[in-house]
Amino acid sequence: MLRSVALAIRKVTRGSDLPARYGGEEFAVLMPGATKRGAEALANRLLEAIAETTLESKGAALSVTA
């Protein structure tokens, strides 16, 4: 699931952004030059992308939210 979330984050971030995992289940995104409004917009897109992420395991669909 962590890999799936990481891929979702990569798809949403800009080329200049630096997404990183910094803890067990924690992620951060460094956004050089981003405004507060731009950061809020990205945060909303990240929440949506993560919520849409699913993974099948042992016949069950797993999902995650942030």
Side-chain angles (χ1 to χ4, degrees):
M1 184 55 81
L2 288 174
R3 285 183 184 161
S4 296
V5 170
L7 287 173
I9 292 170
R10 266 192 182 170
K11 288 179 183 178
V12 175
T13 54
R14 306 172 299 171
S16 61
D17 295 338
L18 179 63
R21 181 175 167 206
Y22 74 96
E25 298 175 358
E26 293 87 18
F27 289 88
V29 179
L30 299 178
M31 301 169 53
T35 63
K36 180 180 178 183
R37 188 174 187 173
E40 288 173 348
L42 176 64
N44 289 325
R45 290 193 309 271
L46 285 170
L47 291 174
E48 289 176 19
I50 291 169
E52 292 172 359
T53 301
T54 60
L55 180 71
E56 191 169 322
S57 177
K58 299 179 183 179
L62 305 174
S63 62
V64 64
T65 58

